[in-house]
Amino acid sequence: PFQIPVFDNLYLDMNGIIHLCSHPEDDNPHFRITEEDIFIHIFQYIEFLFQMIKPCKVFFMAIDGVAPRAKMNQQRGRRFRSAREAENLINQAKDRGEVLPTEKRFDSNCITPGTEFMVKLQKQLQFFVTQKVSTDPLWKGVDIYLSGHETPGEGEHKIMDYIRSLRSKPDYDPNTRHCVYGLDADLILLGLTSHEPHFSLLREEVRFGGKRDKTKRPMTPKETTFLLLHLSLMREYLYFEFADLEHKLSFPFDLERIIDDWIFMSFLVGNDFIPHLPHLHIHQDGLPFLWQTYMQVLPTCDVKGRLYDACVRTTMLHGSETWAVTAEDIRKLARNEASMLRWMCNVNVNTRQSVSILREKLNIRSISCGVQERRLRWYGHVRELEEFLMNDDDNDGECLEDNFGNSKASEAVSNCDLSEEESFWEYKKDYYKSKLNYEEVTDEVLKEQAYIYISALQWNLYYYFDGCQSWSWYYPHHYAPFMSDLVNIKDLKIKLDMGKPFLPFQQLMAVLPSASKELLPLPLQDLMTKQSSPIQKYYPEDFDTDLNGKLHEWEAVVLIPFIDETELLKAMATVEDKLSPSEKDRNRHSPHQLY
């Protein structure tokens, strides 16, 4: 019933397809499937998507390769949790007296670069693509790329790297129509970072809430409802969301920069690389809260307004604390300021635009308020100053008679305020001690936390907009600091070393639990389980999880130790000579292939 538009390029984030075709019933301990059936289902899915979109120029298939170290912490937590959940399901079924199949259950942790399963899948995909290019007319005349598990990088980010490389070519057509298939919500952010006018996302329909009816679960792609999200439409929604800013800014309203900021704000509620800020959760409207705050703050981020307020106005009002001010003096100052405001906002006097609107754009109080504020502060009338700033009626060009004779200065901070501040500080200290395991919370600790978290935000910006700028960097805590402690950061010098990606076996050792040790070569398995192993401590069989304000167990923080890279590589070096030639061949990188 709906006509699918013409697309030049189709990109598949393959891991979603692989997981969907290999273990569709994770909650069923009786489910079994052979590798041959998995491969057949994957090929059918690829063929169905190709025939649905019919790309005219490029078909790019990307499988997750070795990920940046920042991603491995999340992969590690997921794999430890999935192994424990699978074991619990089997034990519960046995406790109920159920007879389980004798065939071995598929371990989804094998969908990791360097395993025998991924090597077989790569070879099968190569054969499949060769066969389709040779026999299917639809596949001819299209550039077919296969970026397999041996090519470093997450699938979706390899896709974006390819799109950025296309855009950098002098003959790139800006009207190229892109379609990306994938289940990861990050694809929305990545698509928006491209600022491409024709960028769409294809994915299966997902229904939230309620129990799933297993009898109605789609078994094939033909039975599946697919959704096509045009990011051009989402860009329009983002414009309407932030349209109120268009007339409040003293600088040009630029939707592209608004979108960039919107993407950045999403980092603060957490992603695969950094934890969310304390008490900032999506299910508690954390994102709308950030957007509203952004709309309040952005109009104040104006260089002209800040320069005028800090330098020009300060000079104009120098000594006004002791002036014998008259109403005529205030009118002269107001006329002079109005002229300056029009100049800063490029507004002609004949446009009849209200001075109050110009001040709102620049986030500047009226000059009469500036005089009264200085006089109140000079005489130490803190309470009157607070009330004055809260109840400013913004009377342009008017100055009420100042009467300081009968007023009394209030205390700078009330006992109630001080108590709240102390209470909040005690709460934060307890958070840093219990969550981040600091013995004492000092200024140096808070400075360290600010540096680590700001570095994390910088790494994320690079990763989403320009590609990986450090393979070795990672966020070294399970929890984030408080936003109120991210202060004095303008002079931070952030240094990210590029490093290099892990080899496949190094990543397997970094992310797999001991329950999935059979996915590794035998010499490496002992490093996980033997008491004499120097890295055995990194593979606990029992571990805690912490919901940390989330609703679902799959969102919980998995409290396992972070792998020490130096210790890991040193331990692995002691058994490298025991690997067979075929195992060594699995442990390498290779570029993607063009057919």
Side-chain angles (χ1 to χ4, degrees):
F2 301 103
Q3 183 176 357
I4 297 175
V6 175
F7 286 102
D8 296 300
N9 300 353
L10 172 62
Y11 313 88
L12 304 186
D13 183 9
M14 288 288 296
N15 278 60
I17 297 174
I18 298 169
H19 282 282
L20 196 62
C21 294
S22 58
H23 56 110
E25 297 185 39
D26 276 339
D27 53 354
N28 180 6
H30 296 268
F31 179 79
R32 296 293 184 272
I33 189 170
T34 65
E35 287 186 350
E36 183 179 356
D37 286 337
I38 292 173
F39 297 151
I40 291 172
H41 293 162
I42 290 172
F43 301 155
Q44 290 174 343
Y45 221 99
I46 294 172
E47 191 166 9
F48 180 84
L49 295 177
F50 189 98
Q51 290 178 350
M52 181 196 301
I53 301 300
K54 297 182 177 66
C56 301
K57 296 179 180 179
V58 172
F59 182 43
F60 193 103
M61 292 171 283
I63 298 172
D64 282 356
V66 169
R69 181 70 202 281
K71 172 76 172 187
M72 288 186 201
N73 291 337
Q74 186 249 27
Q75 291 178 328
R76 181 170 158 83
R78 277 185 181 175
R79 283 158 175 75
F80 270 70
R81 178 166 44 216
S82 66
R84 184 168 73 175
E85 289 173 351
E87 183 181 1
N88 289 341
L89 277 173
I90 291 172
N91 291 336
Q92 290 167 9
K94 289 180 178 178
D95 291 341
R96 292 192 296 267
E98 298 176 14
V99 179
L100 298 176
T102 55
E103 297 87 0
K104 192 174 181 181
R105 194 169 187 261
F106 181 80
D107 183 356
S108 62
N109 285 343
C110 74
I111 307 175
T112 309
T115 63
E116 289 187 61
F117 173 80
M118 295 304 292
V119 171
K120 293 176 185 176
L121 175 60
Q122 179 80 359
K123 291 178 179 178
Q124 291 291 325
L125 282 171
Q126 290 169 346
F127 176 80
F128 168 74
V129 173
T130 302
Q131 189 261 342
K132 293 299 293 182
V133 171
S134 303
T135 61
D136 193 330
L138 275 178
W139 287 58
K140 294 181 179 180
V142 178
D143 290 337
I144 313 290
Y145 290 88
L146 177 60
S147 182
H149 73 112
E150 295 174 344
T151 306
E154 295 182 85
E156 65 268 33
H157 287 272
K158 290 195 284 187
I159 290 170
M160 294 308 301
D161 284 341
Y162 176 77
I163 293 174
R164 281 190 288 265
S165 72
L166 286 181
R167 286 165 53 90
S168 67
K169 295 179 179 178
D171 59 346
Y172 176 71
D173 181 2
N175 289 314
T176 300
R177 302 186 67 90
H178 305 273
C179 179
V180 180
Y181 164 85
L183 299 174
D184 199 328
D186 254 9
L187 286 171
I188 297 175
L189 303 181
L190 290 168
L192 289 170
T193 65
S194 72
H195 297 284
E196 285 284 304
H198 309 294
F199 202 113
S200 301
L201 302 180
L202 176 69
R203 65 164 299 160
E204 295 84 0
E205 180 184 35
V206 177
R207 299 183 181 229
F208 298 96
K211 292 185 178 180
R212 293 181 296 176
D213 187 345
K214 297 179 183 178
T215 63
K216 295 182 179 180
R217 177 182 293 164
M219 299 305 294
T220 67
K222 292 181 180 179
E223 299 171 344
T224 303
T225 301
F226 285 88
L227 304 177
L228 193 61
L229 168 63
H230 300 289
L231 291 187
S232 57
L233 181 61
M234 185 164 184
R235 286 166 56 88
E236 289 187 37
Y237 277 113
L238 287 173
Y239 169 76
F240 288 125
E241 182 75 30
F242 296 98
D244 287 348
L245 287 173
E246 194 164 8
H247 304 294
K248 293 182 179 179
L249 303 177
S250 59
F251 48 89
F253 177 90
D254 187 343
L255 179 61
E256 307 308 321
R257 302 290 75 77
I258 297 289
I259 289 174
D260 290 344
D261 292 345
W262 184 84
I263 293 168
F264 175 79
M265 284 185 280
S266 73
F267 301 161
L268 303 180
V269 296
N271 57 21
D272 290 348
F273 315 102
I274 52 174
H276 62 86
L277 289 172
H279 309 296
L280 198 61
H281 304 285
I282 293 177
H283 71 271
Q284 294 177 352
D285 293 332
L287 284 171
F289 169 76
L290 288 171
W291 302 337
Q292 291 164 11
T293 305
Y294 173 77
M295 294 179 70
Q296 294 169 6
V297 171
L298 190 63
T300 71
C301 299
D302 175 68
V303 176
K304 287 183 179 179
R306 293 201 302 271
L307 185 64
Y308 170 78
D309 202 37
C311 301
V312 180
R313 175 180 277 191
T314 301
T315 303
M316 289 172 63
L317 299 184
H318 179 69
S320 61
E321 296 89 343
T322 57
W323 288 352
V325 184
T326 65
E328 182 59 27
D329 294 330
I330 293 295
R331 292 191 189 99
K332 288 179 180 179
L333 288 170
R335 284 196 294 270
N336 191 20
E337 180 178 65
S339 176
M340 289 185 161
L341 295 180
R342 292 191 188 97
W343 173 78
M344 284 189 286
C345 295
N346 296 317
V347 172
N348 190 289
V349 67
N350 296 325
T351 60
R352 299 179 180 275
Q353 189 162 4
S354 170
V355 174
S356 60
I357 294 177
L358 301 181
R359 275 205 308 273
E360 185 178 354
K361 283 185 176 182
L362 295 167
N363 195 40
I364 294 174
R365 288 180 173 275
S366 67
I367 200 158
S368 61
C369 293
V371 173
Q372 294 194 51
E373 181 181 339
R374 283 167 172 262
R375 290 167 69 85
L376 287 168
R377 185 175 284 114
W378 174 260
Y379 284 99
H381 289 238
V382 179
R383 178 67 68 190
E384 285 85 346
L385 174 61
E386 291 174 351
E387 293 175 355
F388 168 72
L389 293 176
M390 291 175 60
N391 301 309
D392 172 25
D393 290 328
D394 209 21
N395 296 314
D396 289 343
E398 296 182 10
C399 182
L400 301 178
E401 187 68 24
D402 295 321
N403 183 4
F404 299 110
N406 299 322
S407 59
K408 297 180 180 180
S410 65
E411 297 179 5
V413 181
S414 67
N415 291 333
C416 178
D417 293 335
L418 188 60
S419 176
E420 289 178 0
E421 185 177 343
E422 288 178 344
S423 176
F424 183 47
W425 171 238
E426 290 300 321
Y427 174 76
K428 288 203 296 184
K429 282 201 298 185
D430 181 66
Y431 173 87
Y432 286 118
K433 288 180 179 179
S434 62
K435 298 285 191 182
L436 286 92
N437 299 320
Y438 284 106
E439 292 184 3
E440 293 295 332
V441 183
T442 63
D443 290 342
E444 285 302 313
V445 165
L446 299 182
K447 185 178 179 181
E448 176 191 31
Q449 281 295 306
Y451 176 80
I452 292 172
Y453 196 77
I454 296 301
S455 298
L457 294 176
Q458 181 64 74
W459 185 92
N460 273 265
L461 282 171
Y462 281 137
Y463 194 51
Y464 279 76
F465 286 89
D466 299 318
C468 185
Q469 301 299 305
S470 175
W471 288 93
S472 57
W473 178 90
Y474 69 96
Y475 189 74
H477 299 288
H478 292 298
Y479 304 93
F482 280 85
M483 176 66 87
S484 57
D485 293 325
L486 303 180
V487 295
N488 302 320
I489 59 176
K490 67 182 180 70
D491 295 323
L492 285 182
K493 305 296 182 185
I494 297 173
K495 183 180 179 182
L496 297 173
D497 296 321
M498 175 58 77
K500 60 182 181 180
F502 272 13
L503 290 171
F505 287 174
Q506 293 169 351
Q507 173 169 334
L508 286 172
M509 289 294 294
V511 304
L512 290 181
S514 58
S516 297
K517 67 179 182 179
E518 292 182 5
L519 300 175
L520 286 160
L522 277 172
L524 295 176
Q525 295 181 21
D526 290 342
L527 293 177
M528 283 185 167
T529 56
K530 281 193 174 181
Q531 292 289 335
S532 58
S533 169
I535 57 174
Q536 192 262 346
K537 59 188 175 185
Y538 295 118
Y539 306 97
E541 294 184 2
D542 296 318
F543 53 87
D544 294 326
T545 58
D546 178 14
L547 282 174
N548 195 36
K550 300 296 185 183
L551 297 177
H552 309 286
E553 184 58 34
W554 59 265
E555 298 176 289
V557 180
V558 180
L559 299 173
I560 52 178
F562 296 104
I563 285 275
D564 184 286
E565 180 178 340
T566 303
E567 287 187 43
L568 175 67
L569 301 187
K570 184 178 179 181
M572 292 183 67
T574 63
V575 298
E576 281 182 358
D577 58 338
K578 299 179 182 179
L579 298 176
S580 68
S582 62
E583 289 169 341
K584 290 179 180 179
D585 192 54
R586 282 162 49 192
N587 191 34
R588 62 183 176 87
H589 298 313
S590 65
H592 57 235
Q593 298 164 324
L594 172 62
Y595 293 84

